[in-house]
Structures are given as C-alpha cells and as structure tokens.
Amino acid sequence: MRYVCMAVLAVLLMASCDRKGRIVSLAESDVMEHTQCQGKPEILGISEPDSAFGTGYLSQKEKESMMAVMQKVTQTIMKRTNNMTEFNPDDKYVIDLAERQMKAMSDIRSIIYESDKKEEWSGWKVRVDYQAVSHSGMDYKAERWLFIDKDGKEVVKSFEIPLP
C-alpha cells in the first residue's frame, strides 16, 4: 500500500511539473509573439503560475502592486518633463512611456472593474517581466500578465504594464 501511495504521489508531481513547464513555456512564447518591438524581447523573470478565478480577477495585493507601478511611471514622466512645464514632444522616451501607460491604464481599469467578480477556478495567471527595444528605438521594460486555461494550453487574456 505504501508503494502505491508513493507511486501515485510521484505521478501527480510529474504531472504538476509538466503542467507548470507547459504554462511557463506558453507564457514565454506569448511574450515573444505578441510584444511589438524591434528584435526579440529578453525575458527577465516569470512568476510562479497562480490560480485564476476568471480572466480578470486580481487579488487586492496584485491591484495595489499594479497601481504602485503606474504611479512610478507617472512620477518618471513628471520628473523628466519637470511636471510637464518642459514637455518636449521629441523626447521619444516620454512619448513611448506615456503611450504604453495609457494603454495599460485602459486595460487595468477594465480588469479592476471586473476583478471583484471572483468566478470559479478557470486556470492560471502568470506575470512575465521582460525588456525590449521599442519601434522608436527606445529600451524599455514591462510586465505582461497572462490568463491561461486550466490545461495550460491557451492564453485566454493578456495585458502589459510598462515599468519605468
């Protein structure tokens, strides 16, 4: 009986590791395929796959973290433009960062409105931190959030948050 339990545990661990590897691989592929940049993005880190309860549910801690990042982005823009008193439309860094921030804020707003609707377990969520070169030639960093189906085979939803 003891050997049967150990065998079952070993099979479950292998299946779990296989699913985790598949989810991480899918997340990496999604960043490589859907990041609009020059060349290939460089993956800096991938979070542990976490349970997702719908394609928009975020914990309070995740929401606070995202809003803190958006605040840092705003502070970076304000510092670089001296609180917009020295705005330079030719400053590619500010323009690129502001455009990415506006897109991210739109995505975050819609997700935060949905995030109080905790649904049944729907799969996994993963955050991928990466750096890339924008089409305007500017280096940038971002985190991409992905919601993945239960089987770890398909990205159901994703969005990106710029990092200053």
Coordinates of all heavy atoms in Angstrom, one line a residue, residues 96-144:
D96 N 7.0 57.4 -25.7 CA 6.8 56.0 -25.7 C 6.2 55.5 -24.4 O 5.3 54.7 -24.3 CB 8.1 55.3 -26.0 CG 8.0 53.8 -26.2 OD1 7.3 53.4 -27.2 OD2 8.5 53.0 -25.4
L97 N 6.8 56.0 -23.3 CA 6.3 55.6 -21.9 C 4.9 56.0 -21.7 O 4.0 55.2 -21.2 CB 7.2 56.1 -20.9 CG 7.0 55.7 -19.4 CD1 7.0 54.2 -19.3 CD2 8.0 56.3 -18.5
A98 N 4.5 57.2 -22.1 CA 3.2 57.7 -21.9 C 2.2 56.9 -22.8 O 1.1 56.6 -22.3 CB 3.1 59.2 -22.3
E99 N 2.5 56.6 -24.0 CA 1.6 55.8 -24.8 C 1.4 54.4 -24.2 O 0.3 53.9 -24.2 CB 2.2 55.6 -26.2 CG 2.1 56.9 -27.1 CD 2.8 56.8 -28.4 OE1 3.5 55.7 -28.7 OE2 2.6 57.7 -29.2
R100 N 2.5 53.8 -23.7 CA 2.3 52.5 -23.1 C 1.5 52.5 -21.8 O 0.7 51.7 -21.5 CB 3.7 51.8 -22.9 CG 4.3 51.4 -24.3 CD 5.6 50.7 -24.2 NE 6.7 51.3 -23.4 CZ 7.1 50.8 -22.2 NH1 6.6 49.7 -21.7 NH2 8.0 51.4 -21.5
Q101 N 1.7 53.7 -21.1 CA 1.0 53.8 -19.8 C -0.5 54.0 -20.1 O -1.4 53.4 -19.4 CB 1.5 55.0 -19.0 CG 0.8 55.2 -17.7 CD 1.1 56.4 -17.0 OE1 1.4 57.5 -17.6 NE2 1.1 56.4 -15.7
M102 N -0.9 54.8 -21.1 CA -2.3 55.0 -21.4 C -3.0 53.7 -21.8 O -4.1 53.4 -21.4 CB -2.4 56.0 -22.5 CG -2.2 57.5 -22.1 SD -2.6 58.7 -23.3 CE -1.2 58.6 -24.4
K103 N -2.3 52.9 -22.6 CA -2.9 51.6 -23.0 C -3.0 50.7 -21.7 O -4.1 50.1 -21.5 CB -1.9 50.9 -24.0 CG -2.2 49.4 -24.2 CD -3.1 49.2 -25.4 CE -3.3 47.8 -25.8 NZ -4.2 47.0 -24.9
A104 N -2.0 50.7 -20.9 CA -2.0 49.8 -19.7 C -3.2 50.3 -18.8 O -3.9 49.5 -18.2 CB -0.7 49.9 -19.0
M105 N -3.3 51.6 -18.6 CA -4.4 52.1 -17.7 C -5.8 51.7 -18.2 O -6.6 51.4 -17.4 CB -4.3 53.6 -17.5 CG -3.1 54.1 -16.6 SD -3.1 53.3 -15.0 CE -4.6 54.0 -14.3
S106 N -5.9 51.7 -19.5 CA -7.2 51.3 -20.0 C -7.5 49.8 -19.7 O -8.6 49.4 -19.3 CB -7.2 51.5 -21.6 OG -8.4 51.0 -22.1
D107 N -6.5 49.0 -19.9 CA -6.6 47.6 -19.6 C -6.8 47.3 -18.1 O -7.7 46.6 -17.7 CB -5.3 46.8 -20.0 CG -5.2 46.7 -21.5 OD1 -6.2 46.9 -22.2 OD2 -4.0 46.5 -22.0
I108 N -6.0 48.1 -17.3 CA -6.2 47.9 -15.8 C -7.5 48.3 -15.3 O -8.1 47.7 -14.5 CB -5.0 48.7 -15.1 CG1 -3.7 48.1 -15.3 CG2 -5.3 48.8 -13.6 CD1 -2.5 48.9 -14.8
R109 N -8.0 49.5 -15.8 CA -9.4 49.9 -15.4 C -10.4 48.9 -15.7 O -11.2 48.6 -14.8 CB -9.8 51.2 -16.1 CG -9.5 52.4 -15.3 CD -10.1 53.7 -16.0 NE -9.0 54.6 -16.1 CZ -8.4 55.0 -17.2 NH1 -8.7 54.5 -18.4 NH2 -7.4 55.8 -17.2
S110 N -10.4 48.3 -16.9 CA -11.4 47.3 -17.2 C -11.3 46.0 -16.3 O -12.3 45.5 -15.9 CB -11.4 46.9 -18.7 OG -10.2 46.2 -19.0
I111 N -10.0 45.7 -16.0 CA -9.8 44.5 -15.2 C -10.2 44.8 -13.7 O -10.8 43.9 -13.1 CB -8.4 44.0 -15.3 CG1 -8.2 43.3 -16.6 CG2 -8.0 43.1 -14.2 CD1 -6.8 42.9 -16.9
I112 N -9.9 45.9 -13.2 CA -10.2 46.3 -11.8 C -11.8 46.3 -11.7 O -12.3 45.8 -10.7 CB -9.6 47.6 -11.4 CG1 -8.1 47.3 -11.1 CG2 -10.2 48.1 -10.1 CD1 -7.3 48.4 -10.7
Y113 N -12.5 46.8 -12.7 CA -14.0 46.8 -12.6 C -14.5 45.3 -12.5 O -15.5 45.0 -11.9 CB -14.6 47.5 -13.7 CG -14.4 49.0 -13.6 CD1 -14.0 49.8 -14.7 CD2 -14.6 49.7 -12.4 CE1 -13.8 51.1 -14.6 CE2 -14.4 51.1 -12.3 CZ -14.1 51.8 -13.4 OH -13.9 53.1 -13.4
E114 N -13.8 44.4 -13.3 CA -14.2 43.0 -13.3 C -13.7 42.2 -12.1 O -14.2 41.2 -11.7 CB -13.6 42.3 -14.5 CG -14.1 42.8 -15.8 CD -13.4 42.0 -17.0 OE1 -12.8 41.0 -16.7 OE2 -13.4 42.6 -18.1
S115 N -12.6 42.7 -11.5 CA -11.9 41.9 -10.5 C -12.6 41.6 -9.2 O -12.2 40.7 -8.5 CB -10.5 42.5 -10.2 OG -10.7 43.7 -9.5
D116 N -13.7 42.3 -9.0 CA -14.5 41.9 -7.8 C -15.4 40.7 -8.0 O -15.9 40.2 -7.1 CB -15.3 43.1 -7.3 CG -14.4 44.2 -6.7 OD1 -13.3 43.9 -6.3 OD2 -14.8 45.4 -6.8
K117 N -15.5 40.3 -9.3 CA -16.3 39.2 -9.7 C -15.5 37.9 -9.7 O -15.1 37.5 -10.7 CB -16.9 39.4 -11.0 CG -17.7 40.7 -11.2 CD -18.1 40.9 -12.6 CE -18.8 42.3 -12.8 NZ -18.9 42.6 -14.2
K118 N -15.2 37.4 -8.5 CA -14.4 36.2 -8.4 C -15.3 35.0 -8.9 O -16.3 34.7 -8.3 CB -14.0 36.0 -7.0 CG -13.0 34.8 -6.8 CD -12.4 34.8 -5.4 CE -11.4 33.7 -5.3 NZ -10.8 33.6 -3.9
E119 N -14.8 34.4 -9.9 CA -15.6 33.3 -10.5 C -15.0 32.0 -10.0 O -14.1 32.0 -9.2 CB -15.4 33.4 -12.1 CG -16.0 34.6 -12.6 CD -15.7 34.8 -14.1 OE1 -15.4 33.8 -14.8 OE2 -15.9 35.9 -14.6
E120 N -15.4 30.9 -10.6 CA -14.8 29.6 -10.3 C -13.5 29.5 -10.9 O -13.1 30.2 -11.8 CB -15.7 28.5 -10.8 CG -17.0 28.3 -10.1 CD -17.8 27.1 -10.6 OE1 -17.2 26.1 -11.0 OE2 -19.1 27.1 -10.4
W121 N -12.7 28.5 -10.4 CA -11.3 28.4 -10.9 C -11.4 28.2 -12.4 O -12.1 27.3 -12.9 CB -10.7 27.2 -10.2 CG -9.2 27.0 -10.6 CD1 -8.2 27.8 -10.3 CD2 -8.7 26.0 -11.5 NE1 -7.0 27.3 -10.9 CE2 -7.3 26.2 -11.6 CE3 -9.3 24.9 -12.1 CZ2 -6.5 25.4 -12.4 CZ3 -8.5 24.1 -12.9 CH2 -7.1 24.3 -13.0
S122 N -10.6 29.0 -13.1 CA -10.6 29.0 -14.6 C -9.3 28.6 -15.2 O -9.2 28.5 -16.4 CB -11.1 30.3 -15.1 OG -10.2 31.3 -14.7
G123 N -8.3 28.6 -14.4 CA -6.9 28.2 -14.9 C -5.9 28.9 -14.1 O -5.8 28.9 -12.9
W124 N -5.0 29.6 -14.9 CA -3.7 30.1 -14.3 C -3.5 31.5 -14.7 O -3.9 32.0 -15.8 CB -2.6 29.2 -14.7 CG -2.8 27.8 -14.4 CD1 -3.3 26.9 -15.3 CD2 -2.7 27.1 -13.2 NE1 -3.4 25.7 -14.7 CE2 -3.0 25.8 -13.4 CE3 -2.2 27.5 -11.9 CZ2 -3.0 24.8 -12.4 CZ3 -2.2 26.5 -10.9 CH2 -2.6 25.2 -11.2
K125 N -2.8 32.3 -13.8 CA -2.3 33.6 -14.2 C -0.8 33.6 -14.0 O -0.3 33.0 -13.0 CB -3.0 34.7 -13.5 CG -3.0 34.7 -12.0 CD -3.8 35.9 -11.5 CE -4.0 35.7 -10.0 NZ -4.9 36.6 -9.4
V126 N -0.1 34.3 -14.8 CA 1.4 34.3 -14.8 C 1.8 35.7 -15.2 O 1.2 36.4 -16.0 CB 2.0 33.3 -15.8 CG1 3.5 33.4 -15.8 CG2 1.5 31.9 -15.5
R127 N 2.8 36.2 -14.5 CA 3.4 37.5 -14.9 C 4.8 37.3 -15.4 O 5.6 36.6 -14.8 CB 3.5 38.4 -13.6 CG 3.9 39.9 -14.0 CD 4.2 40.7 -12.8 NE 5.5 40.3 -12.2 CZ 5.7 39.9 -11.0 NH1 4.8 39.8 -10.1 NH2 6.9 39.6 -10.6
V128 N 5.1 37.9 -16.6 CA 6.4 37.8 -17.2 C 7.0 39.2 -17.3 O 6.4 40.1 -17.8 CB 6.3 37.2 -18.6 CG1 7.7 37.1 -19.3 CG2 5.6 35.9 -18.6
D129 N 8.2 39.4 -16.7 CA 8.9 40.6 -16.7 C 9.9 40.5 -17.9 O 10.6 39.4 -18.0 CB 9.7 40.9 -15.4 CG 8.8 41.2 -14.3 OD1 7.6 41.5 -14.5 OD2 9.2 41.0 -13.1
Y130 N 10.0 41.5 -18.7 CA 10.9 41.5 -19.9 C 11.4 42.9 -20.2 O 10.8 43.9 -19.8 CB 10.2 40.8 -21.1 CG 9.1 41.6 -21.7 CD1 9.4 42.4 -22.7 CD2 7.8 41.5 -21.2 CE1 8.3 43.2 -23.3 CE2 6.8 42.2 -21.7 CZ 7.0 43.0 -22.8 OH 6.0 43.8 -23.3
Q131 N 12.4 42.9 -21.0 CA 12.9 44.2 -21.6 C 13.0 44.0 -23.1 O 13.2 42.9 -23.6 CB 14.2 44.6 -21.0 CG 15.4 43.7 -21.2 CD 16.6 44.2 -20.4 OE1 16.5 45.0 -19.5 NE2 17.7 43.7 -20.8
A132 N 12.8 45.1 -23.8 CA 12.8 45.1 -25.3 C 13.2 46.5 -25.8 O 13.5 47.4 -25.0 CB 11.5 44.7 -25.8
V133 N 13.3 46.6 -27.1 CA 13.6 47.8 -27.8 C 12.3 48.2 -28.6 O 11.9 47.4 -29.4 CB 14.8 47.8 -28.7 CG1 15.0 49.1 -29.4 CG2 16.0 47.4 -27.9
S134 N 11.7 49.4 -28.3 CA 10.5 49.8 -29.0 C 10.8 50.1 -30.5 O 12.0 50.2 -30.9 CB 9.9 51.0 -28.3 OG 10.7 52.1 -28.6
H135 N 9.7 50.2 -31.2 CA 9.9 50.6 -32.7 C 10.6 51.9 -32.8 O 11.1 52.2 -33.9 CB 8.6 50.5 -33.4 CG 8.1 49.1 -33.5 ND1 8.7 48.2 -34.3 CD2 7.0 48.5 -33.0 CE1 8.1 47.0 -34.3 NE2 7.0 47.2 -33.5
S136 N 10.5 52.8 -31.8 CA 11.2 54.1 -31.9 C 12.6 54.0 -31.4 O 13.3 55.0 -31.4 CB 10.4 55.1 -31.1 OG 10.4 54.7 -29.7
G137 N 13.1 52.8 -31.1 CA 14.5 52.6 -30.8 C 14.8 52.7 -29.3 O 16.0 52.8 -28.9
M138 N 13.8 52.9 -28.5 CA 14.0 53.1 -27.0 C 13.9 51.8 -26.3 O 13.1 50.9 -26.5 CB 12.9 54.0 -26.5 CG 12.8 55.4 -27.1 SD 14.3 56.3 -27.0 CE 14.6 56.4 -25.3
D139 N 14.9 51.6 -25.3 CA 14.9 50.5 -24.5 C 13.8 50.6 -23.5 O 13.5 51.7 -23.0 CB 16.2 50.4 -23.7 CG 17.4 50.0 -24.5 OD1 17.2 49.4 -25.6 OD2 18.5 50.4 -24.2
Y140 N 13.1 49.6 -23.2 CA 12.0 49.6 -22.2 C 11.9 48.3 -21.5 O 12.3 47.3 -22.0 CB 10.7 50.1 -22.8 CG 10.0 49.1 -23.6 CD1 9.0 48.2 -23.0 CD2 10.2 49.0 -25.0 CE1 8.3 47.3 -23.8 CE2 9.6 48.0 -25.7 CZ 8.6 47.2 -25.2 OH 7.9 46.3 -25.9
K141 N 11.2 48.4 -20.3 CA 10.9 47.2 -19.5 C 9.4 47.1 -19.3 O 8.8 48.2 -19.3 CB 11.6 47.2 -18.2 CG 13.1 47.0 -18.3 CD 13.7 47.0 -16.9 CE 15.3 46.8 -17.0 NZ 15.9 46.8 -15.7
A142 N 8.9 45.9 -19.2 CA 7.4 45.8 -19.0 C 7.1 44.5 -18.3 O 8.0 43.6 -18.2 CB 6.7 45.9 -20.3
E143 N 5.9 44.4 -17.7 CA 5.5 43.1 -17.2 C 4.2 42.8 -18.0 O 3.4 43.6 -18.2 CB 5.2 43.1 -15.7 CG 4.3 44.1 -15.2 CD 4.2 44.1 -13.7 OE1 5.2 43.9 -13.0 OE2 3.1 44.4 -13.2
R144 N 4.1 41.5 -18.4 CA 2.9 41.1 -19.2 C 2.2 40.1 -18.3 O 2.8 39.1 -17.8 CB 3.4 40.4 -20.5 CG 2.2 40.1 -21.4 CD 2.8 39.7 -22.8 NE 1.8 39.4 -23.7 CZ 1.1 40.4 -24.4 NH1 1.5 41.6 -24.3 NH2 0.2 40.0 -25.3

